[in-house]
Amino acid sequence: MNNTDLKQLRRSWLMQGSIPESARLANLSKPVLNSWQRCLQFGLEANQKSLPENILTGSNLSARVEQRQELIRLVQPNMTYLHSLIAGSGGMVLLADQHGVIVHAIGDSEFVPKADRVLLTKGASWLEQHRGTNAIGTAIVEGGPVVVNGAEHFFETNSFLSCAAAPIYQPDGKVVGVLDISSDARVFHPHTLGLVKTTVHSIERQLFSQSQNRYAMVISVAPSPEGISSVINGLIGISEDGLILGIDRFAMGYLGIGDIDISSLKIQQIVDHSLGRMMDYGKGKTAGNIHQLNTYTGRPLFFSFQYTKLSQFDAATSTMSDTAIAKAEPDSIVESIEENVTLRGVSKKVIDKTIAQNKGNISKAARILGVSRTTLYRYLKSSTD
């Protein structure tokens, strides 16, 4: 559907007060239709000339940018590379925060004045209630990648734009920002959204890597063994008891879970395999090996397990003297030894001492010993049988 038809459709809709059947049958995306409805609920008018500025300046803008410096530093190199791919086509790469405020922008010099006229600039809010249907604001509401091209923008003043945006998710499922490419609608390219999505995926993997020390184990998952070492590899970070603390969008899609499940579901509730076995896969010589496991829905997937810290005991630990064990702090013991797949090679004296030093706290002792709480419980039970 061309811009002229879209403008006519929008005018008919506003006059009728409901979406014409032609809109439902047209090649108009559901996110855009949903957004148009929200814009009407906000009381916006498509042809209104006086638009709310909603832009931060001066100290307010400086404070907002300073608060987002960590995100900007992470995303900026990706934005620079992304701009190099579209340079000369007349466009901009924009980073907005989770509230829709643009905090960083890189653009072609000939396009910047056009963008400034509609406040597509640093400090401006592009939430739907301020700018109508647009890729940044609509992506935040929809929670996923969005293209808004030409007259799909609710405000006619923005109909010269073509925008593609995707929210950036932290591993805990919270949106931390939005990446956007905006250009003249006359040079719109259908692959633009693909560039945005690929770049966001790279940024999200960087965010996952930054938080990796929060996890006892990192699990890679893919629909094929070859996918484990490719760009379609999904990442999951779990605690010692299997709780999913962090996960990327790819892994969520493979496992069929949503943001609400993060920090609520345990990996053993999703994968038809014991936690103890999965924990054992992540240690020693088996770490990084690929295993085919089924989810509880019966879907076969390929997994690779890796402990994030070298905190496992091996048989050499049993040669430590009683005096050394008595004097050493748990962390210093951990640093002096290598990985081992199970507790079988660890002397009972070391295990008992670690538990005693942690006042019977099995979870903490298991973490220091480099095994799951389940594995330690199982060991203690077997040693008393």
Side-chain angles (χ1 to χ4, degrees):
M1 181 175 288
N2 60 43
N3 273 358
T4 302
D5 291 338
L6 269 175
K7 289 179 180 180
Q8 184 59 44
L9 172 63
R10 186 172 49 197
R11 290 193 187 100
S12 299
W13 177 27
L14 295 175
M15 287 170 49
Q16 295 174 19
S18 61
I19 303 176
E21 187 61 28
S22 56
R24 301 180 191 278
L25 300 176
N27 187 24
L28 196 61
S29 70
K30 187 174 181 181
V32 170
L33 283 174
N34 290 341
S35 178
W36 281 11
Q37 291 176 315
R38 288 190 294 267
C39 290
L40 287 180
Q41 293 170 357
F42 291 139
L44 302 178
E45 297 179 9
N47 59 354
Q48 66 188 70
K49 303 300 180 183
S50 178
L51 303 179
E53 289 197 353
N54 297 99
I55 184 167
L56 299 175
T57 58
S59 60
N60 290 330
L61 175 58
S62 298
R64 177 66 68 100
V65 172
E66 181 62 31
Q67 292 169 359
R68 308 295 189 266
Q69 270 306 309
E70 187 175 346
L71 175 66
I72 294 171
R73 280 194 293 269
L74 176 70
V75 177
Q76 186 172 3
N78 296 276
M79 294 177 66
T80 300
Y81 176 70
L82 193 55
H83 180 254
S84 72
L85 300 178
I86 66 166
S89 61
M92 298 184 72
V93 181
L94 303 146
L95 172 66
D97 66 13
Q98 70 271 35
H99 302 297
V101 175
I102 297 173
V103 293
H104 193 62
I106 302 173
D108 290 347
S109 57
E110 66 272 19
F111 185 74
V112 171
K114 298 178 184 178
D116 287 344
R117 285 200 296 270
V118 293
L119 296 179
L120 191 64
T121 186
K122 192 159 73 171
S125 168
W126 275 75
L127 292 177
E128 288 182 334
Q129 56 263 47
H130 300 146
R131 299 284 173 257
T133 302
N134 72 89
I136 292 174
T138 303
I140 290 175
V141 177
E142 295 289 329
V146 170
V147 171
V148 180
N149 187 32
E152 291 179 343
H153 288 85
F154 188 79
F155 288 143
E156 290 196 16
T157 53
N158 293 335
S159 61
F160 74 94
L161 290 170
S162 174
C163 306
I168 301 168
Y169 283 91
Q170 297 179 138
D172 61 5
K174 296 177 182 176
V175 174
V176 69
V178 181
L179 187 67
D180 171 271
I181 293 179
S182 292
S183 62
D184 191 305
R186 292 172 296 182
V187 294
F188 168 73
H189 197 289
H191 294 320
T192 302
L193 184 61
L195 291 175
V196 172
K197 290 166 63 177
T198 300
T199 306
V200 165
H201 178 55
S202 175
I203 293 168
E204 290 177 345
R205 293 183 78 86
Q206 290 176 271
L207 288 170
F208 189 97
S209 178
Q210 285 184 347
S211 61
Q212 193 162 299
N213 61 0
R214 295 180 54 237
Y215 315 132
M217 178 181 286
V218 171
I219 303 172
S220 297
V221 58
S224 66
E226 297 79 15
I228 291 291
S229 57
S230 75
V231 294
I232 67 168
N233 171 36
L235 297 172
I236 310 163
I238 64 171
S239 66
E240 294 90 342
D241 61 356
L243 189 66
I244 297 175
L245 300 176
I247 186 168
D248 70 2
R249 302 288 106 180
F250 276 34
M252 289 175 70
Y254 298 146
L255 299 180
I257 66 175
D259 294 326
I260 196 172
D261 298 316
I262 302 174
S263 295
S264 298
L265 277 180
K266 295 184 177 181
I267 190 66
Q268 61 268 35
Q269 294 175 277
I270 304 170
V271 179
D272 191 9
H273 213 62
S274 73
L275 177 62
R277 291 287 299 278
M278 287 188 278
M279 288 292 189
D280 286 345
Y281 290 154
K283 306 173 193 174
K285 294 180 180 179
T286 60
N289 289 353
I290 298 174
H291 307 267
Q292 182 177 351
L293 308 175
N294 289 334
T295 67
Y296 275 107
T297 63
R299 182 183 184 186
L301 291 170
F302 293 85
F303 295 84
S304 174
F305 303 84
Q306 181 72 58
Y307 264 82
T308 58
K309 299 174 183 176
L310 300 180
S311 58
Q312 286 76 42
F313 282 78
D314 68 2
T317 308
S318 61
T319 65
M320 295 177 67
S321 68
D322 291 351
T323 303
I325 294 171
K327 290 182 178 179
E329 291 296 324
D331 287 345
S332 64
I333 295 175
V334 172
E335 291 170 0
S336 69
I337 54 185
E338 300 175 353
E339 294 184 344
N340 186 48
V341 177
T342 69
L343 284 170
R344 287 193 297 270
V346 183
S347 74
K348 187 175 185 303
K349 188 174 290 187
V350 170
I351 296 171
D352 291 343
K353 190 69 177 180
T354 303
I355 294 172
Q357 286 175 326
N358 288 280
K359 300 178 180 179
N361 187 323
I362 300 299
S363 295
K364 188 173 181 181
R367 184 163 59 251
I368 291 169
L369 290 166
V371 297
S372 71
R373 185 173 58 182
T374 302
T375 298
L376 184 54
Y377 271 127
R378 190 166 58 240
Y379 173 89
L380 294 173
K381 185 177 185 301
S382 65
S383 65
T384 58
D385 289 344

